[in-house]
């Protein structure tokens, strides 16, 4: 089986080379790689949890920004020694076949797993360092880069007399040959993985560095030298206090050439986060599920670029004297600027340390008391350029506190026309403009409120504006917030950049990213929506996941969830499943369920058909909806009554509604339908007169008495259709009406030529042939 695998891969090499020849002609460098993840180190070793995922993550990163195409990278999970040897031969064949199409070839070997002082431990087999080094050296590439993340991996570097040497690195425009060996630990150390980060410390540092954290020069490229320096520092800092002991990555680099060997190019990424110059401290990035993605310690004033996948991220910045948090959406083709203004201060939690001395505890308590007036993470322990004023009064421009020439911190601010302070822990009241950087409490104004950070309430008749809000905004006219966690309410207009919580408005809610609930008398608008939208008239969302409910119409671009509307639902794309319930449902590509009188989708069923049945009826049907479940509406009328009005009053029409499902195979389709049939029958004259007399005796209007009564019976139908040309289909089917004790009267008013008596049930088969026109 392994030889067959090797044969297939070698046979595939010429096709891979041909497909990439145009790209190689311009790139100058062709890169190849083997990524190995081995959780199984044998019976004597504890099974690892993250070696396989580390290998997968490394392959993905190098494919995205490391210049290694998917076709040039081989991933091996829990392989044997022979599997690894086979992969080496495949890579060697690929390099040999492509050597004339590029200036230089580079080979990367990555291993994450168990090892001891002399070998990699691959389950039941081992791979000695000397033998492994020889196998890697036999790969006919100009440059060999080896990265080992395993215990005692420093012994690989020492094998055959290898010594640490000063890095001499090259870029992709230089002729170069040589090797670079990087190991996660020294020859006498363990390598460690962590449940908290879901990875090994060394690989996590390498991946974070490759995605931009190691770019110390700011050129959006990460070189081998930068990567090793970053990984060494991060791995050591994360492990120096561990119970296992500190972990020191090692290296041996012997390259002949000039310049730098670039391992990743951030500018090649489809989505990038730029950490602005003013953002400083330890930044922790997690995805929307809480998984740690990156941890960067940014200390300088230079911008830093990180290449990440598109999606939602939560950011925590631990800075000097404050901790900031926030979330952001990273989109394809965009660079998101993450700055301190994108984040919100949070109060730091107090933790008691086990074994602390009483004096230390008291000092912490005193410190806690001193900081009890913290405003969203910022303290009232004043700096040299700050002053505390218990009550700040301002007529036009802070006439009293302006004389201090310092930033004003206050508990209450009162301004007749304008009041501007730095921090407020309490309330601001103004008939004009309130301005503050940080507010915990209440802002009230008949004109404008402006605060950068708000934890509490804002209220205004005209205009609220804040950069970050936790709590509530309420406005007669206009609320504006960049980030909102809590509640917005407006008689006219709420707008927000990111929203978690609820928006409620008499007229108009608008939000950029939305998670939670929107409710409006007239109109909700959300660019990206998760959760719930409810409106008296219209809901509108660009990307939608959750629930939409509207009196008249729902509209969403990308849709996943449920839409319910009094009249119409519109979704441009619904490829991941969803439900539309309305009179009319309209969708683009739709993979879900539509319930309505008319269901329209690009890839669904929308057709009108007529057929002649064995009971001498003409059947008219409209099918609409998704193929897996569509709605059926129509009627079955006696043939002689179709063109003349009720020639035979004894033959009543049947009105049909139900659900169907379709399987399509080439030009044939197979349908099954579950139908509800209703027979409308005119009552005899004696019955009508009796019911009118009873109505008159009760004081009711006798004209309200219905002259028709309806009888119901179920049926199931099977059909086969053939589509010789687009839009036109011929079909034949068989229906089986079901009679039981409670619906027997319905069959007294319809004609059935075939009857099957099955104990308490009776079946009435009916066959038909017809033609359908499809609008799709």
């Amino acid at each position: 089986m392994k030889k067959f695998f090797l044969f297939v891969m070698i046979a595939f090499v010429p096709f891979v080379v041909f497909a990439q020849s145009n790209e190689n002609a311009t790139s100058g460098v062709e890169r190849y790689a083997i990524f190995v993840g081995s959780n199984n180190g044998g019976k004597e070793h504890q099974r690892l949890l993250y070696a396989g995922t580390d290998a997968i993550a490394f392959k993905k990163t190098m494919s995205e920004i490391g210049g290694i195409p998917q076709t040039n990278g081989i991933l091996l999970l829990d392989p044997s020694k022979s599997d690894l040897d086979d992969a080496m031969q495949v890579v060697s064949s690929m390099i040999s076949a492509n050597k004339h199409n590029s200036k230089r070839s580079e080979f990367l070997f990555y291993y994450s797993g168990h090892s001891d002082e002399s070998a990699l431990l691959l389950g039941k087999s081992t791979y000695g360092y000397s033998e492994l080094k020889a196998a890697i050296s036999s790969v006919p590439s100009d440059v060999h880069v080896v990265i080992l993340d395993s215990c005692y991996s420093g012994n690989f570097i020492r094998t055959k007399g290898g010594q640490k040497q000063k890095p001499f690195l090259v870029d992709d425009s230089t002729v170069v040959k040589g090797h670079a060996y990087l190991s996660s630990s020294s020859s006498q150390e363990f390598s460690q993985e962590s449940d908290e980060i879901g990875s090994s410390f060394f690989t996590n540092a390498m991946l974070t560095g490759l995605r931009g954290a190691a770019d110390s020069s700011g050129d959006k490229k990460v070189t081998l030298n930068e990567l090793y320096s970053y990984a060494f520092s991060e791995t050591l800092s994360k492990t120096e206090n561990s119970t296992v002991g500190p972990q020191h990555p090692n290296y041996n680099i012997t390259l002949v050439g000039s310049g730098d060997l670039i391992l990743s190019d951030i500018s090649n990424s489809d989505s990038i986060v730029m950490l602005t110059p003013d953002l400083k401290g330890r930044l922790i990035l997690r995805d929307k599920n809480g998984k740690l993605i990156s941890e960067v310690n940014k200390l300088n004033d230079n911008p830093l670029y990180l290449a990440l996948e598109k999606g939602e991220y939560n950011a925590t910045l631990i800075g000097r004297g404050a901790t900031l948090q926030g979330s952001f959406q990273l989109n394809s083709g965009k660079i998101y600027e993450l700055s301190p203004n994108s984040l919100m201060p949070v109060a730091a939690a107090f933790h008691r340390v086990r074994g602390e001395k009483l004096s230390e505890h008291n000092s912490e308590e005193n410190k806690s008391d001193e900081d009890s007036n913290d405003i969203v993470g910022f303290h009232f322990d004043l700096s040299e350029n700050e002053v505390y004023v218990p009550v700040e009064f301002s007529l036009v421009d802070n006439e009293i506190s302006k004389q201090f020439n310092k930033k004003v911190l206050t508990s209450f601010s009162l301004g007749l026309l304008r009041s501007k302070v730095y921090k407020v822990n309490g309330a601001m009241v103004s008939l004009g403009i309130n301005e503050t950087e940080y507010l915990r409490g209440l802002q009230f104004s008949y004109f404008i409120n402006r605060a950068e950070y708000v934890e509490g309430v804002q209220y205004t008749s005209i205009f609220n504006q804040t950069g970050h809000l936790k709590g509530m905004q309420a406005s007669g006219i206009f609320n504006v917030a960049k980030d909102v966690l809590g509640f917005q309410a407006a008689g006219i207009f709420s707008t927000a950049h990111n929203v978690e919580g609820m928006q409620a408005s008499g007229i108009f809610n608008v939000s950029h990213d939305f998670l939670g609930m929107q409710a409006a008398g007239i109109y909700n608008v959300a660019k990206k929506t998760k959760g719930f939208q409810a409106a008296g008239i219209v809901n509108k969302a660009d990307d939608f996941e959750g629930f939409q409910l509207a009196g008249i119409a729902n509209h969403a671009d990308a849709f996943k969830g449920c839409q319910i509307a009094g009249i119409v639902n519109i979704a441009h794309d619904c490829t991941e499943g969803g439900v539309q319930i309305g009179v009319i449902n309209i969708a683009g590509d739709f993979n879900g369920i539509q319930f309505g009188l008319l269901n329209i989708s690009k890839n669904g069923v929308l057709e009108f058909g007529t057929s002649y049945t064995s009971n001498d009826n003409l059947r008219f049907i409209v099918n609409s909806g998704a193929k897996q479940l569509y709605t059926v509406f129509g009627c079955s009328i006696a043939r002689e009554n179709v063109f003349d009005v009720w020639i035979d009053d004894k033959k009543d029409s049947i009105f049909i509604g139900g659900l169907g499902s379709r399987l399509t195979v080439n030009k044939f389709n197979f349908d099954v339908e579950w139908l509800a049939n209703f027979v409308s029958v005119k009552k005899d004259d004696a019955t009508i007169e009796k019911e009118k007399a009873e109505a008159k005796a009760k004081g009711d209007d006798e004209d309200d008495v219905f002259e028709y009564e309806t009888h119901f019976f179920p049926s199931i139908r099977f059909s086969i259709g053939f589509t010789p040309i687009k839009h036109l289909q011929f079909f034949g089917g068989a229906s089986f009406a079901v009679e039981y004790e409670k619906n027997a009267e319905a069959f007294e008013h319809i004609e059935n030529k075939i009857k099957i008596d099955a104990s308490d049930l009776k079946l009435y088969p009916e066959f038909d042939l017809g033609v359908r026109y499809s609008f799709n």
Side-chain angles (χ1 to χ4, degrees):
M1 182 67 186
K2 293 172 185 172
K3 292 186 181 257
F4 175 75
F5 162 77
L6 180 60
F7 171 77
V8 171
M9 289 298 293
I10 293 176
F12 182 65
V13 168
F15 296 97
V16 174
V17 172
F18 177 77
Q20 296 173 344
S21 60
N22 291 335
E23 180 182 351
N24 294 339
T26 59
S27 66
V29 176
E30 189 72 14
R31 287 182 169 176
Y32 307 83
I34 295 175
F35 304 91
V36 183
S38 182
N39 288 317
N40 184 12
K43 294 182 180 180
E44 297 181 358
H45 295 82
Q46 181 182 8
R47 184 174 180 83
L48 299 175
L49 298 178
Y50 307 112
T53 55
D54 280 349
I56 294 172
F58 217 102
K59 182 178 186 296
K60 179 178 177 61
T61 300
M62 294 305 293
S63 174
E64 292 175 356
I65 55 176
I68 300 179
Q70 291 283 355
T71 52
N72 288 13
I74 298 176
L75 175 65
L76 300 176
L77 300 178
D78 288 324
S80 64
K81 179 179 180 298
S82 58
D83 292 334
L84 219 163
D85 286 333
D86 290 346
M88 294 279 194
Q89 293 183 43
V90 170
V91 170
S92 296
S93 300
M94 294 172 70
I95 294 175
S96 298
N98 195 35
K99 62 182 179 180
H100 299 297
N101 297 322
S102 58
K103 293 180 182 179
R104 184 175 78 248
S105 61
E106 297 176 357
F107 172 57
L108 170 68
F109 180 85
Y110 170 85
Y111 174 80
S112 178
H114 280 288
S115 67
D116 59 18
E117 293 87 345
S118 60
L120 304 183
L121 305 179
L122 305 172
K124 296 180 180 180
S125 59
T126 62
Y127 208 130
Y129 289 141
S130 297
E131 187 179 2
L132 176 63
K133 183 174 289 187
I136 293 173
S137 299
S138 67
V139 175
S141 64
D142 298 299
V143 176
H144 300 85
V145 178
V146 180
I147 300 173
L148 301 181
D149 188 355
S150 59
C151 298
Y152 308 110
S153 52
N155 284 285
F156 177 85
I157 293 177
R158 295 180 57 195
T159 304
K160 294 188 176 179
Q163 299 292 329
K164 290 184 181 180
Q165 299 185 22
K166 182 179 180 180
F168 190 66
L169 311 177
V170 296
D171 61 21
D172 62 358
S173 63
T174 309
V175 177
V176 63
K177 291 185 178 181
H179 69 256
Y181 301 149
L182 307 181
S183 69
S184 62
S185 60
S186 70
S187 60
Q188 302 297 321
E189 291 176 347
F190 293 100
S191 292
Q192 304 166 50
E193 62 177 22
S194 166
D195 291 329
E196 181 181 359
I197 63 175
S199 174
S200 79
F201 290 108
F202 179 69
T203 293
N204 180 259
M206 294 283 283
L207 294 176
T208 301
L210 284 167
R211 290 196 173 273
D215 178 23
S216 58
S217 64
D219 61 356
K220 297 185 183 179
K221 294 177 175 60
V222 177
T223 66
L224 185 59
N225 192 31
E226 288 176 327
L227 181 62
Y228 172 76
S229 298
Y230 179 84
F232 179 92
S233 175
E234 287 295 303
T235 303
L236 181 59
S237 67
K238 295 290 180 59
T239 59
E240 58 188 353
N241 294 321
S242 71
T243 56
V244 177
Q247 182 179 325
H248 300 78
N250 273 14
Y251 70 91
N252 171 264
I253 301 174
T254 305
L255 295 173
V256 179
S258 61
D260 283 341
L261 179 61
I262 298 169
L263 288 185
S264 65
D265 189 342
I266 312 306
S267 59
N268 287 337
S269 178
D270 187 44
S271 49
I272 297 174
V273 175
M274 184 190 81
L275 309 186
T276 58
D278 57 337
L279 189 147
K280 296 179 184 179
R282 180 161 287 274
L283 179 69
I284 301 171
L285 295 177
R286 298 182 183 273
D287 64 16
K288 62 180 180 180
N289 298 318
K291 177 178 171 55
L292 180 66
I293 300 300
S294 184
E295 186 173 350
V296 181
N297 194 20
K298 184 175 180 294
L299 301 177
N300 57 37
D301 293 329
N302 299 323
L304 183 64
Y305 295 86
L306 300 179
L308 303 177
E309 294 183 76
K310 67 177 182 179
E312 297 178 26
Y313 292 90
N314 296 315
T316 300
L317 178 66
I318 303 173
R320 188 174 182 180
T323 297
L324 308 180
Q325 286 184 345
S327 61
F328 62 91
Q329 177 75 32
L330 188 58
N331 299 317
S332 297
K334 300 289 182 66
I335 297 179
Y336 181 86
E337 294 188 7
L338 185 63
S339 69
N341 291 333
S342 307
L343 307 173
M344 254 183 122
V346 295
F350 171 72
H351 299 283
R352 183 171 289 104
V353 180
R354 293 185 177 182
E356 65 182 351
K357 297 180 181 179
L358 182 60
S359 59
E360 294 172 344
H361 171 70
N362 291 336
S363 64
E364 289 294 337
E365 283 189 340
N366 293 335
K367 186 176 184 297
S368 178
D369 291 338
E370 292 171 1
D371 295 342
S372 60
N373 289 327
D374 289 357
I375 297 178
V376 289
F378 290 80
H379 310 301
F380 269 176
D381 48 343
L382 305 177
S383 64
E384 293 182 357
N385 64 338
E386 295 175 343
V387 61
Y388 174 70
V389 179
V391 177
E392 165 66 15
F393 176 80
S394 173
L395 177 62
V396 177
D397 192 18
N398 302 89
E399 288 78 12
I400 297 177
S401 62
K402 191 175 183 180
Q403 60 184 319
F404 297 114
N405 197 26
K406 293 182 178 182
K407 294 180 179 179
V408 176
L409 292 79
T410 186
S411 297
F412 182 79
S413 173
L414 175 63
L416 295 181
L417 296 178
R418 179 177 180 269
S419 176
K420 181 178 181 180
V421 296
Y422 180 50
K423 295 179 183 178
V424 177
N425 187 20
M428 294 186 77
V429 179
S430 176
L431 297 178
I433 300 174
N434 283 323
E435 291 185 80
T436 182
E437 291 295 318
Y438 309 102
L439 169 70
R440 173 183 286 171
L442 168 70
Q443 261 191 338
F444 174 85
S445 176
Y446 276 107
F447 185 50
I448 293 176
N449 288 321
R450 197 206 69 81
E452 186 63 28
Y453 297 97
V454 176
E455 206 174 86
V457 178
Q458 278 190 327
Y459 173 81
T460 184
S461 294
I462 299 178
F463 221 88
N464 284 318
Q465 191 275 331
T466 181
H468 307 276
L469 171 70
K470 284 185 178 181
M472 173 181 175
Q473 277 190 331
S475 177
I477 297 179
F478 243 92
N479 290 313
V480 178
K482 186 176 182 181
D483 296 323
V484 178
L485 180 64
F487 179 84
Q488 271 194 336
I492 296 180
F493 239 90
S494 294
T495 181
H497 186 268
N498 291 321
V499 180
E500 291 188 15
M502 176 179 176
Q503 281 189 327
S505 177
I507 296 179
F508 244 92
N509 288 315
V510 178
S511 62
H512 185 273
D513 295 327
F514 179 82
L515 177 65
M517 175 181 178
Q518 275 189 331
I522 296 179
Y523 232 89
N524 289 315
V525 177
K527 185 174 183 181
K528 294 195 174 180
T529 307
K530 284 187 178 180
F532 178 85
Q533 275 191 327
I537 296 180
V538 177
N539 287 315
K540 185 180 185 301
D542 286 357
D543 291 336
F544 178 77
E545 183 175 345
F547 187 83
Q548 277 188 325
L549 176 64
I552 294 180
N554 290 312
H555 181 274
D557 282 355
F559 167 65
K560 180 182 178 182
C562 181
Q563 286 184 319
I564 300 177
I567 298 179
V568 62
N569 292 307
I570 300 173
H572 290 179
D573 290 300
C574 182
T575 58
E576 298 184 28
V579 178
Q580 287 184 316
I581 302 174
V583 178
I584 300 173
N585 298 304
I586 302 172
D589 290 326
F590 190 81
N591 184 19
I593 298 173
Q594 293 177 310
F595 291 107
L597 290 176
L598 183 62
N599 305 296
I600 302 171
S601 62
K602 187 185 297 184
N603 59 337
V605 175
L606 180 59
E607 59 194 14
F608 171 78
T610 182
S611 62
Y612 177 70
T613 77
S614 59
N615 288 338
D616 200 22
N617 294 329
L618 286 177
R619 195 169 179 269
F620 302 94
I621 291 294
V622 174
N623 297 331
S624 65
K627 290 182 179 179
Q628 59 267 33
L629 191 67
Y630 58 84
T631 58
V632 181
F633 291 100
C635 62
S636 180
I637 305 173
R639 176 181 52 82
E640 59 266 33
N641 287 339
V642 173
F643 302 105
D644 295 306
V645 180
W646 312 126
I647 294 176
D648 190 346
D649 289 339
K650 294 182 180 180
K651 293 185 177 181
D652 296 289
S653 298
I654 302 171
F655 299 94
I656 303 168
L659 299 173
S661 183
R662 172 169 297 177
L663 173 65
T664 301
V665 181
N666 295 324
K667 293 187 176 183
F668 292 90
N669 62 269
F670 304 88
D671 291 37
V672 58
E673 296 169 353
W674 300 268
L675 304 174
N677 304 268
F678 301 91
V679 183
S680 182
V681 181
K682 186 174 182 179
K683 302 172 185 176
D684 58 68
D685 292 340
T687 301
I688 294 174
E689 291 301 324
K690 180 182 177 182
E691 291 180 356
K692 285 185 176 181
E694 291 175 351
K696 186 175 181 180
K698 293 178 181 179
D700 297 333
D701 189 348
E702 61 182 41
D703 292 334
D704 292 338
V705 174
F706 290 104
E707 296 184 359
Y708 288 84
E709 59 183 0
T710 302
H711 301 282
F712 160 80
F713 66 90
S715 66
I716 186 170
R717 183 173 182 275
F718 303 93
S719 66
I720 300 175
F722 172 69
T723 306
I725 60 175
K726 189 176 181 181
H727 302 304
L728 184 64
Q729 183 181 114
F730 299 98
F731 67 90
S735 301
F736 298 88
V738 181
E739 178 187 344
Y740 48 89
E741 181 181 355
K742 293 185 178 181
N743 73 342
E745 190 176 351
F747 293 91
E748 296 175 3
H749 301 279
I750 58 177
E751 182 177 330
N752 290 288
K753 296 183 177 181
I754 306 174
K755 177 181 177 181
I756 301 175
D757 199 337
S759 185
D760 295 336
L761 296 178
K762 295 180 178 63
L763 298 178
Y764 296 92
E766 184 179 19
F767 304 95
D768 67 323
L769 292 173
V771 62
R772 283 192 286 245
Y773 179 81
S774 174
F775 295 91
N776 288 341

